[in-house]
Amino acid sequence: MSNSPSTVPRERLSQLREVVTEERPLRLGFELVAAPLRFVGFWAAVALPFLYLPLLFGGLEASEFTVFGVLLALNAFALVIGHNYARS
């Protein structure tokens, strides 16, 4: 608790303020884009497994292996995208 002046120059503080105020709109823009993608990813990850049922119930033929593989890949991608949806 001394009365000595601050060791950080004033111009450094002003540069720091500029960085902080410039980052906020960028972060807000990122969140405006990321939030809907998380929503879609989450609900796609929930809904896509229901598309497996007709394929598995009818048995997989040679031509359906590709469709099943694509559905699995889409489901994995949706899980990665939507894993943070509605976290506090």
Side-chain angles (χ1 to χ4, degrees):
M1 294 270 178
S2 69
N3 291 331
S4 65
S6 174
T7 58
V8 179
R10 290 186 187 272
E11 59 189 50
R12 180 73 176 138
L13 286 174
S14 67
Q15 289 173 349
L16 183 61
R17 281 189 197 112
E18 288 176 15
V19 169
V20 170
T21 56
E22 288 176 7
E23 185 179 314
R24 185 172 284 157
L26 182 63
R27 182 172 296 223
L28 179 61
F30 175 76
E31 284 300 319
L32 286 174
V33 172
L37 288 177
R38 281 190 209 113
F39 171 80
V40 170
F42 175 82
W43 287 108
V46 169
L48 280 172
F50 290 106
L51 297 177
Y52 302 159
L53 296 176
L55 289 172
L56 295 174
F57 183 70
L60 289 176
E61 296 177 6
S63 62
E64 293 174 335
F65 278 113
T66 305
V67 174
F68 186 71
V70 168
L71 281 174
L72 280 175
L74 282 173
N75 197 199
F77 182 71
L79 283 168
V80 170
I81 296 297
H83 79 281
N84 276 337
Y85 175 67
R87 282 205 178 164
S88 336

